[in-house]
Each structure stands twice: as structure tokens, then as C-alpha cells.
Amino acid sequence: EQVITVERLQMPPAEERTRAAQMLDVMEIQYAAQVVSSPAKIWSGDTTRVVDSSAERAPPGTSSRSIYYILGQQNGPPGKFPPGWDLTLRGMVVGEKRRITL
């Protein structure tokens, strides 16, 4: 069984928060997927390797580093986004940053 850990790294002040993301919302997101051989390496300062990112998936010829994702739709063929993606993004607000560990 896969364990998913979600850490909030940044949250806007309460008075600036928008409605939390819900199923079928269109989200504009930026991400970088990294491979780490051991959870201990995350904290030891070892470098990790980026294997996928929203900057790589952004439309060609644009300066955007974001992609659009419909929460709850898995947005494409199997393997396009990791399992559990919807669970980890649900409830986010504009300006929030999270670290998701699979």
C-alpha cells in the first residue's frame, strides 16, 4: 500500500484565502516531481533529480510554467499524473504551497 504524505509549506493569511479547491474545479498549478532514493536524503541535503515538471508540460512557445488540471478528472491517459493527485490537491487555495511525498 502506498503512503502519501502532504505537508503545507506556505499558506496565505486568512483574509487573503480563496475558496478551497473542490472536485471539478480547474486549477492552475506548478510542480516539480523529484526522485529520492530514501526519505532520509530529503533532509540530508543530497541533491535530487527532477523527473517531471509543469514547466516541461507547458504549451510550447509560452513563458508559462503552469499547467491546468481539472480536479477529479485525472486529465488524460493513465500515468499522466500520479495516483492520489486529486486527494493531495483537493482543498488547496490560491497561493498555497504543498510538498507531496509518495
Side-chain angles (χ1 to χ4, degrees):
E1 183 174 306
Q2 186 174 23
V3 176
I4 300 173
T5 305
V6 178
E7 302 169 71
R8 279 199 171 114
L9 303 177
Q10 179 178 316
M11 184 66 122
E15 63 274 5
E16 295 177 18
R17 290 185 201 152
T18 59
R19 177 181 65 81
Q22 300 172 10
M23 298 304 271
L24 302 181
D25 281 350
V26 176
M27 300 178 74
E28 180 180 0
I29 58 174
Q30 295 179 5
Y31 72 92
Q34 300 174 325
V35 173
V36 179
S37 59
S38 159
K41 289 190 176 210
I42 294 173
W43 309 115
S44 69
D46 287 358
T47 58
T48 57
R49 183 172 57 99
V50 174
V51 295
D52 185 26
S53 73
S54 55
E56 294 170 358
R57 292 178 183 242
T62 68
S63 60
S64 175
R65 299 183 62 80
S66 302
I67 61 165
Y68 292 91
Y69 183 83
I70 302 171
L71 195 56
Q73 295 295 303
Q74 278 299 310
N75 298 288
K80 185 171 180 183
F81 293 99
W85 192 259
D86 290 328
L87 294 174
T88 60
L89 296 177
R90 189 180 311 150
M92 286 189 79
V93 298
V94 173
E96 181 180 350
K97 291 184 182 182
R98 292 182 179 182
R99 176 183 294 133
I100 301 160
T101 306
L102 305 174

